Amino acid sequence: MPMLVLPQELTHRQAPACLRMLLQGLKVHKEPNVVVDAQALALFDTSALAVLLECRREALSDRKTFAVQGLPAALASMAGLYGVAELLPAA
């Protein structure tokens, strides 16, 4: 199962490069299950949610499953606040 890893910092400034990296990883890995490892994520804003949701959209459009491992509690709370928590299932 491919493991895509988020950086320690994912704010508006890093979001475009991080998304490009994740989407490239999706193309390289042909397995049907995708897991994004968010354990290293320490500094983030709502851009992190946008990146994860776009990665999920791309994975699902490629007929792959999508899950997140180690989502920080504050980011999980933010996802709940915006009503998207169920779109970021835990691995």
Side-chain angles (χ1 to χ4, degrees), residues 42-71:
L43 181 62
F44 53 85
D45 61 17
T46 56
S47 298
L49 286 180
V51 166
L52 286 169
L53 292 171
E54 180 62 16
C55 186
R56 174 189 181 273
R57 189 188 70 73
E58 286 293 322
L60 296 180
S61 74
D62 287 344
R63 299 179 191 251
K64 298 177 182 181
T65 64
F66 179 83
V68 181
Q69 173 181 300
L71 192 66

Side-chain angles (χ1 to χ4, degrees), residues 16-91:
C18 183
L19 181 58
R20 280 192 302 273
M21 175 197 68
L22 291 173
L23 296 182
Q24 183 62 36
L26 281 175
K27 289 179 180 148
V28 170
H29 296 291
K30 301 300 180 192
E31 293 86 353
N33 303 311
V34 176
V35 175
V36 175
D37 183 354
Q39 292 181 43
L41 202 54
L43 181 62
F44 53 85
D45 61 17
T46 56
S47 298
L49 286 180
V51 166
L52 286 169
L53 292 171
E54 180 62 16
C55 186
R56 174 189 181 273
R57 189 188 70 73
E58 286 293 322
L60 296 180
S61 74
D62 287 344
R63 299 179 191 251
K64 298 177 182 181
T65 64
F66 179 83
V68 181
Q69 173 181 300
L71 192 66
L75 190 55
S77 177
M78 192 184 300
L81 179 67
Y82 286 104
V84 298
E86 68 280 354
L87 300 177
L88 303 172

